[in-house]
Amino acid sequence: MKIGGIKPGGEAGFSGGQLQMGADSVSKNLQKQIANVQKSLQELSSNQEMSIEEKVKRRQELQQQISDLNQQLRQRQIDLRREKQEAAKEAAAQSQENLQKEEADEKETGLSKAYMRAMVSADSAVGQAEVYGKVSRTLKGEARTLQSDIAQDKKRGIDAAEKENALAKIEKRMEKAVSSQIGTLGKAGRELRVTTENEREEIRKTKEKDSKEVSETRKKEIENFHVVTGRGG
């Protein structure tokens, strides 16, 4: 059995687990001191220059040093754990504070993050639709030019097959551009409509909750008034 970190027979009881406890400089320094004192304690029995009485006295001194150092190391570990816990509490408190601030910002603006994201998405969709619109207008101009050239070639008896093929390709590209434009705007519109409906529903629920809380508070105030005045009902 170990008592105060000392093994029977006078040797210091310092386990490898204790050596691995601390990673900070203070803990490492204490561990190093313990190891040095333990080494001195182990070398004491082979010292031929000291008498038995001197060895006994020196052994007791070294054992006390190891005990004191072990106590300091344990206290250091306790302090480190406490600091870690406090840091975790502060981080949690900060996270909660940030969350409350975000909620307060939403209430102040009257718009939720989901709604604002939908607005940004819709704005982006409008910009993309404008690009498709420009492409469509450009292709329409090219198509008109080709149609005019084809009409002139046919009047002159010139083969216009190549230009007709080019016109067909342009018309397909125009159709694709228009379809993309309509699809982009339609998707953005649907997303914004759904988000708006969800926003209205959330506002309705919040109002109902607030109204219920006010009613409950008012009811309690009336009940308390009746209790104080001795009135029933």
Side-chain angles (χ1 to χ4, degrees), residues 10 12 27 29 31 53 67 83 89 113 155 170 183-184 188 228:
S27 296
N29 183 49
Q31 291 165 355
E53 290 80 8
S67 179
E83 290 175 5
K89 287 180 181 178
K113 286 186 175 181
K155 285 181 180 180
I170 288 176
T184 299
V228 172

Side-chain angles (χ1 to χ4, degrees), residues 94-138:
Q94 184 63 48
S95 178
Q96 181 65 22
E97 182 180 341
N98 292 339
L99 180 61
Q100 291 175 348
K101 185 177 183 301
E102 289 179 1
E103 292 176 350
D105 290 343
E106 286 186 5
K107 289 181 179 179
E108 183 177 347
T109 59
L111 299 174
S112 68
K113 286 186 175 181
Y115 187 80
M116 288 189 284
R117 282 194 295 267
M119 291 285 288
V120 172
S121 178
D123 186 63
S124 176
V126 170
Q128 187 63 41
E130 288 179 354
V131 172
Y132 289 134
K134 289 180 181 179
V135 171
S136 179
R137 287 192 293 273
T138 300

Side-chain angles (χ1 to χ4, degrees), residues 12-29:
F14 186 76
S15 67
Q18 285 176 300
L19 283 170
Q20 297 174 356
M21 285 178 67
D24 68 306
S25 60
V26 175
S27 296
K28 287 181 178 180
N29 183 49

Side-chain angles (χ1 to χ4, degrees), residues 31-122:
Q31 291 165 355
K32 185 177 181 181
Q33 290 181 59
I34 292 171
N36 290 337
V37 177
Q38 182 181 12
K39 183 178 179 182
S40 298
L41 186 61
Q42 291 171 347
E43 295 173 348
L44 185 62
S45 58
S46 61
N47 191 321
Q48 301 297 326
E49 299 179 357
M50 298 177 69
S51 65
I52 295 176
E53 290 80 8
E54 289 174 333
K55 286 182 179 181
V56 171
K57 183 179 179 181
R58 180 57 178 163
R59 185 184 301 277
Q60 291 176 345
E61 292 175 351
L62 293 174
Q63 289 174 343
Q64 185 60 47
Q65 287 183 32
I66 291 175
S67 179
D68 293 342
L69 289 169
N70 273 324
Q71 181 60 35
Q72 292 179 42
L73 182 58
R74 284 191 291 270
Q75 185 59 47
R76 177 61 180 170
Q77 299 308 313
I78 291 172
D79 292 341
L80 288 175
R81 283 193 291 270
R82 185 182 297 112
E83 290 175 5
K84 186 176 181 180
Q85 290 172 350
E86 290 177 354
K89 287 180 181 178
E90 289 179 2
Q94 184 63 48
S95 178
Q96 181 65 22
E97 182 180 341
N98 292 339
L99 180 61
Q100 291 175 348
K101 185 177 183 301
E102 289 179 1
E103 292 176 350
D105 290 343
E106 286 186 5
K107 289 181 179 179
E108 183 177 347
T109 59
L111 299 174
S112 68
K113 286 186 175 181
Y115 187 80
M116 288 189 284
R117 282 194 295 267
M119 291 285 288
V120 172
S121 178

Side-chain angles (χ1 to χ4, degrees), residues 179-198:
S179 177
S180 297
Q181 183 183 31
I182 295 173
T184 299
L185 289 174
K187 181 181 177 182
R190 287 191 298 273
E191 290 177 353
L192 187 58
R193 183 172 61 255
V194 170
T195 305
T196 301
E197 290 174 354
N198 292 339

